């Protein structure tokens, strides 16, 4: 079994990804610049009266994956192999959100299982965490866009109720948006990742930190140090956050 040092060496992070004993104060001043707490966008055309959205907002965990698998609200169900609802600890404090499944995820039905996923696992290990232990991993889109193309706005809109339901069921202390696409879709902003990093946003009332997508980090090794700073901000935020009140789930209309 790999030790933490092995993991850091594998990531090329030593010695930079070493936890300092004196931490700067968390960026508790929540960014007010993003509209993530804004009212939900209008329902997709496939749900003109909103009944699908209401039904999804009431799904129990045990019904969730089957519902995603049966979804035909956008055209992606025609080209994907497996739906990729999400994986992890249903009681997790951390929720990591990527853009959409890639080829390996589409084949296996699990998010972040390709090369980028292995780096994500190593990032979790560097934090002393592991997939499935206090961590839940999902994507904004539950089905793979053909050839990994950028999701269409209508596809993201059709899938939005599913992520909202996952957030409501999990009540995570923190969401980590992996990459610009996930951050843009969650925060409904076109801002650059550079401008979104380093502060705490909110999605449906839940603190949200933006960092680079692991696939980007694989191609841009020097930015791993910045990603580590993001994860430390995330960890400090988790330490300071209370769990959202279950009596007030953020996404139930
Ligand atoms: N990239 C993503 O955004 N999500 C995955 O599940 C895999 C790669």
């Amino acid at each position: 079994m790999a030790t933490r040092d092995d993991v850091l060496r594998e990531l090329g992070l030593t010695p930079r990804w070493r936890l300092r004993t004196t931490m700067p104060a968390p960026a508790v001043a929540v960014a007010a610049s993003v509209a993530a707490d804004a009212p939900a966008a209008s329902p997709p055309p496939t749900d003109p009266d909103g009944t699908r959205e209401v039904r999804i907002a009431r799904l129990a965990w045990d019904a969730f994956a089957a519902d995603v698998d049966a979804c035909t609200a956008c055209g992606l169900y025609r080209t994907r192999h497996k739906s990729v609802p999400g994986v992890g600890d249903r009681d997790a404090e951390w929720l990591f959100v990527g853009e959409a499944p890639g080829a390996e995820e589409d084949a296996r039905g699990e998010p972040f299982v390709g090369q980028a996923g292995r780096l994500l696992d190593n990032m979790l290990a560097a934090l002393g965490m592991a997939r499935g232990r206090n961590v839940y991993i999902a994507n904004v889109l539950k089905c793979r866009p053909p050839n990994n193309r950028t999701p269409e706005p209508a596809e993201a809109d059709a899938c939005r109720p599913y992520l909202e339901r996952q957030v409501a069921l999990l009540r995570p202390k923190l969401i980590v948006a992996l990459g610009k696409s996930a951050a843009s879709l969650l925060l409904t902003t076109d801002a650059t990742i550079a401008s979104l990093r380093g502060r705490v946003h909110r999605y449906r009332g839940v603190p949200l930190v933006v960092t680079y997508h692991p696939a980007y980090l694989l191609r841009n090794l020097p930015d791993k140090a910045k990603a580590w700073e993001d994860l430390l901000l995330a960890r400090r935020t988790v330490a300071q956050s209370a769990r959202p009140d279950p009596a007030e789930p953020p996404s139930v209309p």
Side-chain angles (χ1 to χ4, degrees), residues 7 11 19-20 29 70 74 79-80 93 102 115 128 153-154 162 168-169 176 183 197 228 233 239 242 247-249:
V7 168
L11 285 167
L19 189 60
R20 291 187 204 99
C74 77
T79 49
R80 56 114 162 122
E93 292 176 327
Q115 219 194 342
Y162 283 123
L169 284 165
V176 179
R197 288 184 52 247
W228 180 236
L233 169 62
E248 290 177 29

Side-chain angles (χ1 to χ4, degrees), residues 84 98-102 105 110-113 116 139 213:
V84 184
E99 177 191 50
E105 292 76 20
E110 183 173 335
F112 285 98
V113 288
N139 283 300
H213 194 285

Side-chain angles (χ1 to χ4, degrees), residues 17 123 197 211-212 217 223-232:
W17 285 47
M123 290 158 76
R197 288 184 52 247
T211 192
Y212 295 106
L217 292 174
D223 279 340
K224 280 180 180 170
K226 293 188 195 163
W228 180 236
E229 284 167 19
D230 299 334
L231 293 180
L232 294 181

